[in-house]
Amino acid sequence: MFERLDNIIKRFEELKSELTKEEILSDYNKLKELSKEQSDLEEIVSLYNDYKSTQKALDEAKSLIDDPEFKDIALGEVEELTNKMEKLHKELEMALVPKDENDGKNVIMEIRGAAGGDEANIFAGDLFRMYSYYAEKNGWKIEVLNSIEGSSGGFSQIECMIKGSNVYSKLKYESGSHRVQRVPVTETQGRVHTSTATVLVMPEVEDVDIEIKESDLKIDVFHSSGAGGQSVNTSNSAVRITHIPTGVVVGCQTERSQLRNKENAMRLLKIKLHDDMEQKKMQEAGMERKTKIGTGDRSEKIRTYNYPQNRVTDHRINFSIMELDRVMDGNLDPIVEALITEDMRLKLAGEKFNS
């Protein structure tokens, strides 16, 4: 860590020198670029300078412990400065973790029932409720954009937007395959079944610059439906858009206006296409998707919800908690915090997570 910090100090001093040069001052774009780099390093430099001055003061206090006249005062200073050093060390570790520019953004979440038929759709509904409770606990707002209900309950597919403070920073680890082990309500012999649902979390992206040809779209309109499949109005206001080249399908039925639903669906389509493009770029570069905790790929089994044992296990970090009932009521913080902690540890060490 300290080698990296010394290199940052060196780069910061180089930037101070460069920003005084006439050729830099006369080049607006270069000036803006270097000024931003300097600003990004300023917090770390300030923390490190404080750390080094505290270390110097601590060494001086320790040197006075053997002096009977100053021993009591020195011991008090050593304790105080040691605590400050530990605090600064943690702050430096946090500051060195690479920032995710999407952390402060809202998210689009898609949940689908996968393997397991009706039980998978019921589980998808359970996951949606879990995230809804978690959003409520965090003071976030959740807006359903589109949903297709399962014949026995839950959803075969549901898409929603979650808005609030730093939503993506906490939900970005949820993408992947979620597995449930329990006795389905339709099971007459009490046997435990395994079913899966997939979750996809995408950061909301403003002003997505993607060209979409009208000829590449298939647009269907239909009645918006509410709970139980009941129509909530008599006009064809709901919109479903299929992007023919990629096969991506989006829909929106939250607005009474067909035009507004189409606008929202087009925005959702652009976000999905942008997310797919970003994933392909990172795969081509041999990088893991989104974070170092996992690829976020739908095929990746990330978590198991075992009802008979009241246990939730996140397989990426070998973390288990015997509080499934509380987790399903939206108490996701222990899992999310464990994922964030491990992600920070790996990023700080410059390691890659092997999923």
Side-chain angles (χ1 to χ4, degrees), residues 129-142:
R129 282 189 291 276
M130 178 185 75
Y131 291 123
S132 297
Y133 292 145
Y134 185 59
E136 184 179 351
K137 289 177 186 291
N138 282 279
W140 302 335
K141 292 184 179 180
I142 189 164

Side-chain angles (χ1 to χ4, degrees), residues 65-83:
I65 291 177
D66 293 332
D67 188 326
E69 185 178 351
F70 296 103
K71 181 178 180 180
D72 291 341
I73 296 175
L75 285 172
E77 287 189 357
V78 166
E79 182 180 359
E80 181 181 341
L81 291 168
T82 298
N83 291 335

